[in-house]
Amino acid sequence: MKKNILYLLAFMILVSCGDDIPQGEKDNAFWLDQADLTAMQQDWSAAHANLSCDSNKLSIAGKSYDRGVGTHAVSKLMIDVHGSGERFKGAAGVDDECSEQASVEFFILGDEEILWQSGLMKVGYSAKSFDINISGIQKLALYVSDGGDYIHYDHADWVNVRITYHDSVPVLVHPYKARPYVLTPPPPKEPRINGPSVYGAGAGNQFLYRIPATGEKPIKFKVKGLPEGLNIYEESGLIRGKTPANGIYELSLIAENDYGKDEKKFRIIVGQGLALTPPMGWNSWNCWGLSVDQQKVKIAARAMEAIGLADHGWSYLNIDDGWEAAERTETGFLLANEKFPNMQQLATDIHNMGLKLGIYSSPGPTTCGGYLGSWEHELIDARTWAMWGIDYVKYDWCSYNDIAKDQSLPELKKPYIHFHEVLGQVDRDIVYSMCQYGRGDVWTWGEEVGGNLWRTTYDIVDTWSSMSGIGFRQGEYAAYAGPGHWNDPDMLVVGKVGWGPDLRESRLTPDEQYTHISLWALLSAPLLLGCDLAQMDAFTLNLLTNDEVLAVNQDALGKQATKVYDGIRYQVWAKELEDGSMAVGIFNIGKDTPIEAFNWTNDEQKLKITVGADQLGLTGIHKVRDLWRQQDIGTFEKTFGANVPHHGVVLLKLTPEE
Ligand code: GLA
């Protein structure tokens, strides 16, 4: 009887501890938590040994674990076991620190075969154990998918993970790092006027436009047809003054230097709204997060000018969250905190460079970063910003959930309608950027409530799954974009980013960065740099100063690209341009499978993609121009073939031959 109870007890322990380390585990096991986890790639944060993604004790379905690795989907790790492994053991599950939105799937691959997969796992699901025979296998890979939805809260734990082996110690493989390569040729010495051909402004308000132009300096600027009230500053190319009455003003911009002259038609449209082409500039969030301060904004403005970004049309410097004082004044004013000693001076300095200043707030009592929002102080805030000289407001949603009665459309629209009315009461051109992450299909009503742009998505991060997941989803909203009202797939994640005081290189590969900029250009998306402009490397600068690519984004027709071919391995997007030509992006998206994710060593392999005239709805002969290389590369009649790198793009302009 006693013996039976003992057996039963032993059995119970074995069953309940399926994911525990059995007694007598071999000493020469290779423990994942002791390895160099910088080899683990993940879409948010970094892998932690023996701690969860948020640095808590590892815990799955109420059970805590001393050993393991806390990661975040999408997560990838490759281990070289040299054919010398015996067994791969451990368990996996979603960490208890997650919200209910978390959903992931764990995969273990051996030499490109799936050896084990967990099935969809959510918070509260017990850890699933694995004990796999890996004899003869060379490379093991651990992969955590986002479970088919977004990566929100996908904190995934690998617990008690170890490999038993014969001779050679397993080694973690650091991902292949592709080298950046430059495609954009340098601009010529003779002047070239860049930027849009249309510009919107409000009658009677202050007018400021800097003519963006490249070419050997000094350049002299002139304008033909300048309406009364506006002046051109010959040396700097700034047009300033008081905006004339409602109407359309046809101008000719002229830039001249020792090497030649350029002339460009330019229309000022007064009284038909702002942001007639997508805003281009910088925002502090993706680099500095809440650590933004006045000096950093000033440095960004100086860099925008000094490294030449302003000559290609980049103009806004937008302060995101983190500028607000802790309390309003007795009369209700919200001043800037000690990090911004003189907002008005900052605006003046920025305007004197011909650049623009933006700010951030939320309709709720507090912002997403926990600072004061504009709740019940909308008009006083708008007036303060107009007085400071603010040109752009990003209006978030955070904490408004506590104010809204429910998530019905009238409740979702209410704070944005109100703030639009308030903006109408100040005598200043302020671009209105709505940021409520796409709630209630905002693209269907963003224009109606007065938004110049509206975020269609949660926050972007600098990974392929985030950037491509957001970007390639935007086709559905194309019909709602147009001059003065744009879909906003969030800010750019190239260059040095960090969301806080410490910055690092974007994790996107060079080809992924070409895809990012090409796709955002095709999507007529606002282009807001989220990197430190003062630390920009040559590759990133080259990527952001291709005037032919930027012209696709700034095209006056304002038509967002649509997806014309959707395949497993590639997609083709097309955007009609004002001059009757078409911009076409041919994207090699790779397959979204765990196996494809381990394509690290052959990043440079190209995929031959053929596009047909029927897919693009084209007839006749078209001249083909490669926009990144700025080269004519032949003609297109029935089909066009392109070799496209993994996660990369070929961006073309097809112009009908006369
Ligand atoms: C939200 C927005 C971000 C940023 C932060 C600031 O998350 O989506 O872009 O503005 O708030 O707290």
Side-chain angles (χ1 to χ4, degrees):
M1 178 70 179
K2 235 182 178 177
K3 214 172 164 189
N4 282 351
I5 289 174
L6 274 177
Y7 278 139
L8 188 68
L9 241 133
F11 176 74
M12 278 168 64
I13 289 168
L14 263 177
V15 168
S16 64
C17 301
D19 48 347
D20 282 341
I21 314 153
Q23 295 291 317
E25 181 70 72
K26 275 173 97 177
D27 285 342
N28 68 338
F30 169 86
W31 286 82
L32 190 58
D33 53 80
Q34 287 178 336
D36 171 13
L37 293 174
T38 56
M40 191 169 236
Q41 281 195 309
Q42 55 188 57
D43 277 12
W44 187 258
S45 185
H48 296 142
N50 306 326
L51 292 175
S52 69
C53 183
D54 281 350
S55 298
N56 297 314
K57 194 169 171 75
L58 295 163
S59 171
I60 303 169
K63 181 170 176 180
S64 54
Y65 296 84
D66 292 331
R67 301 198 74 165
V69 173
T71 182
H72 193 297
V74 173
S75 166
K76 306 171 196 175
L77 177 72
M78 194 182 280
I79 309 170
D80 197 343
V81 274
H82 328 282
S84 155
E86 279 175 358
R87 302 205 75 84
F88 186 34
K89 303 181 195 178
V94 174
D95 197 279
D96 290 331
E97 72 194 4
C98 296
S99 85
E100 274 166 16
Q101 287 177 46
S103 66
V104 304
E105 186 164 10
F106 295 85
F107 294 84
I108 296 171
L109 296 99
D111 295 338
E112 309 220 337
E113 297 278 329
I114 295 177
L115 304 179
W116 179 84
Q117 76 191 80
S118 66
L120 194 69
M121 294 197 71
K122 299 191 171 199
V123 71
Y125 288 21
S126 302
K128 286 207 178 154
S129 314
F130 51 86
D131 180 355
I132 308 163
N133 176 2
I134 53 166
S135 50
I137 282 175
Q138 294 297 323
K139 297 254 185 349
L140 270 178
L142 273 61
Y143 182 83
V144 187
S145 80
D146 67 1
D149 53 15
Y150 193 58
I151 61 165
H152 246 54
Y153 293 101
D154 285 350
H155 299 195
D157 297 340
W158 293 99
V159 292
N160 294 336
V161 178
R162 69 266 187 212
I163 297 166
T164 53
Y165 60 94
H166 300 293
D167 319 306
S168 315
V169 185
V171 177
L172 302 197
V173 183
H174 282 260
Y176 167 79
K177 202 167 180 320
R179 254 181 277 138
Y181 61 99
V182 156
L183 291 179
T184 307
K189 284 183 172 176
E190 54 268 26
R192 254 202 216 155
I193 300 176
N194 304 310
S197 60
V198 285
Y199 183 79
N205 292 347
Q206 266 180 36
F207 186 97
L208 173 63
Y209 183 77
R210 174 183 170 135
I211 303 171
T214 53
E216 195 102 322
K217 307 238 159 74
I219 299 177
K220 269 230 151 75
F221 294 91
K222 288 197 190 100
V223 179
K224 284 191 216 154
L226 201 62
E228 207 175 310
L230 299 186
N231 304 302
I232 169 76
Y233 292 79
E234 284 200 353
E235 313 288 321
S236 58
L238 264 57
I239 306 176
R240 296 188 89 156
K242 188 173 164 191
T243 307
N246 285 353
I248 298 179
Y249 300 85
E250 305 283 352
L251 278 58
S252 232
L253 310 178
I254 298 161
E256 205 165 356
N257 68 6
D258 289 348
Y259 299 89
K261 182 176 164 182
D262 192 23
E263 189 158 345
K264 179 177 172 136
K265 299 248 164 290
F266 189 67
R267 230 172 306 142
I268 297 178
I269 304 183
V270 182
Q272 293 181 37
L274 308 175
L276 299 184
T277 62
M280 284 174 66
W282 173 87
N283 172 294
S284 56
W285 186 249
N286 292 355
C287 42
W288 303 118
L290 295 174
S291 75
V292 62
D293 61 36
Q294 184 164 321
Q295 191 57 15
K296 289 190 171 105
V297 181
K298 231 178 183 168
I299 289 173
R302 281 199 207 119
M304 190 176 271
E305 187 165 56
I307 62 177
L309 285 169
D311 300 336
H312 300 269
W314 300 90
S315 65
Y316 284 95
L317 290 133
N318 295 347
I319 306 166
D320 208 282
D321 206 355
W323 63 269
E324 310 89 335
E327 283 175 11
R328 289 181 179 270
T329 64
E330 272 177 17
T331 43
F333 282 99
L334 176 55
L335 304 179
N337 59 35
E338 66 294 340
K339 293 191 294 165
F340 289 85
N342 196 337
M343 203 62 107
Q344 209 159 349
Q345 188 60 49
L346 179 66
T348 305
D349 293 347
I350 285 177
H351 292 154
N352 287 341
M353 296 172 168
L355 305 175
K356 312 266 176 95
L357 183 63
I359 210 157
Y360 164 97
S361 191
S362 169
T366 53
T367 65
C368 300
Y371 287 77
L372 276 187
S374 292
W375 169 236
E376 288 186 323
H377 294 84
E378 294 81 359
L379 184 57
I380 198 168
D381 285 356
R383 285 196 173 135
T384 308
W385 299 335
M387 185 186 74
W388 286 346
I390 296 294
D391 307 291
Y392 183 114
V393 173
K394 173 174 170 183
Y395 208 46
D396 213 320
W397 170 265
C398 274
S399 88
Y400 193 82
N401 256 349
D402 306 334
I403 306 292
K405 284 199 219 90
D406 50 42
Q407 295 287 309
S408 64
L409 269 187
E411 284 297 296
L412 292 178
K413 288 180 183 177
K414 203 151 114 192
Y416 294 100
I417 293 175
H418 180 46
F419 198 67
H420 180 242
E421 282 164 5
V422 157
L423 285 177
Q425 291 177 47
V426 299
D427 297 331
R428 187 163 183 87
D429 288 352
I430 301 183
V431 170
Y432 184 22
S433 151
M434 297 162 52
C435 176
Q436 46 83 290
Y437 338 116
R439 275 160 201 264
D441 294 347
V442 63
W443 42 92
T444 62
W445 50 268
E447 183 189 2
E448 165 201 323
V449 301
N452 291 119
L453 53 146
W454 46 82
R455 276 268 296 276
T456 55
T457 163
Y458 281 110
D459 294 13
I460 196 169
V461 292
D462 56 323
T463 60
W464 170 254
S465 72
S466 172
M467 183 276 290
S468 68
I470 290 172
F472 290 118
R473 207 172 51 227
Q474 300 298 311
E476 299 163 39
Y477 324 136
Y480 303 102
H485 49 96
W486 309 102
N487 291 311
D488 175 7
D490 206 1
M491 300 172 287
L492 300 169
V493 281
V494 300
K496 284 212 154 154
V497 294
W499 292 269
D502 303 319
L503 304 187
R504 55 176 166 72
E505 290 301 334
S506 167
R507 288 174 289 173
L508 296 179
T509 66
D511 280 313
E512 291 169 352
Q513 298 191 41
Y514 279 114
T515 288
H516 189 16
I517 302 300
S518 306
L519 186 55
W520 263 237
L522 285 164
L523 292 173
S524 312
L527 298 179
L528 290 166
L529 296 164
C531 57
D532 182 4
L533 304 187
Q535 294 187 61
M536 192 173 281
D537 58 79
F539 167 75
T540 312
L541 185 60
N542 185 269
L543 188 72
L544 301 172
T545 51
N546 186 314
D547 297 305
E548 298 193 21
V549 174
L550 295 175
V552 171
N553 177 264
Q554 292 294 301
D555 187 72
L557 192 61
K559 271 215 155 183
Q560 181 177 323
T562 52
K563 186 162 36 178
V564 296
Y565 180 82
D566 190 5
I568 301 172
R569 298 188 69 93
Y570 72 96
Q571 294 187 5
V572 181
W573 289 65
K575 173 179 161 86
E576 283 172 51
L577 301 174
E578 196 192 23
D579 66 359
S581 61
M582 183 181 268
V584 177
I586 308 171
F587 297 93
N588 174 353
I589 54 169
K591 265 195 265 156
D592 191 19
T593 65
I595 291 168
E596 188 82 14
F598 289 95
N599 214 351
W600 291 344
T601 42
N602 56 1
D603 257 358
E604 276 163 7
Q605 265 179 17
K606 293 188 177 176
L607 181 69
K608 173 95 196 239
I609 301 175
T610 305
V611 181
D614 50 339
Q615 288 173 317
L616 300 170
L618 294 179
T619 50
I621 301 173
H622 286 72
K623 195 178 82 184
V624 183
R625 188 161 173 86
D626 179 326
L627 294 183
W628 279 110
R629 292 178 177 80
Q630 300 187 350
Q631 275 169 12
D632 291 333
I633 52 170
T635 53
F636 175 102
E637 197 176 355
K638 292 201 168 63
T639 59
F640 181 84
N643 287 315
V644 191
H646 181 70
H647 286 182
V649 60
V650 167
L651 184 64
L652 307 171
K653 182 168 169 175
L654 307 180
T655 311
E657 280 212 326
E658 269 129 51

